[in-house]
Amino acid sequence: MQLPLILKPIAVGAIAVSMGIIGCTQQTGLNAQAEPNIAQTTQTAPPAGQTEQREPDVPYVPTPQEVVDEMLKLAKVQKGDVLYDLGSGDGRIPITAVREYGVKRAVGIDINPERIEEANENAKKAGVSDRVQFLNQDLFKSNFSEASVVTLYLLPDINVKLRPQLFKQLKPGTRIVSHDFDMGEWKPERTVQVQGPNRTHTLYYWVVPEKPPANLQG
């Protein structure tokens, strides 16, 4: 995603679809012209690897590749890592992590099924489908506990809302890199400025502690 560093209220609202937070309701199988019947009103469970989605609010805007590379360098990704990208969009972070940095496995989570389809196609073109997986899920219903590295590009309030889940699921020592937005009272260990094609981006880096402070877990 790409936003000016100094956000106006209307610009802030234009971020989060790629992150898988503000979602999308799938409407396959619905036909307004069909006659009502029992099948049309029956609730069915979403396919494996998916959760029920919410209505999308804003368009997806990709993170510049220059920023992707710096995020992965800041996270010090390596061959043994399992990377989770929370709000994976077109899949460029997981794909780059596997193809260019040799991580063991990468998983992208996005609430928009169109982005999942696009990401899978991009992974296929890059020849990394065997080590990259994309899940059409709501982040707040997702399990990313196997991650050794987490990347994200979410709104500030979503970061803070997600923070207790990160502490609950992730192992101590897990590295987290956020594009442009911090995590409130959880102060980053490093902050890096990256020059993109149109503006300067800020990256934040944390390591999950052995015992997170109680005030950060709520």
Side-chain angles (χ1 to χ4, degrees), residues 24 43-46 50-54 111 136-138 141:
C24 171
Q43 296 285 337
T44 58
Q50 298 186 17
T51 54
E52 293 182 7
Q53 311 308 345
R54 300 189 300 276
I111 205 165
N136 184 203
Q137 294 182 353
D138 179 337
K141 298 178 182 179

Side-chain angles (χ1 to χ4, degrees), residues 5 70-71 74-75 176-184 186-194 200-207:
L5 203 54
E70 291 302 322
M71 291 176 74
L74 183 59
I176 301 172
V177 176
S178 174
H179 177 192
D180 270 348
F181 301 109
D182 62 17
M183 293 213 187
W186 189 17
K187 301 306 178 184
E189 297 190 13
R190 289 190 64 192
T191 301
V192 175
Q193 301 291 316
V194 180
T200 300
H201 302 253
T202 302
L203 306 181
Y204 300 90
Y205 172 81
W206 300 264
V207 176

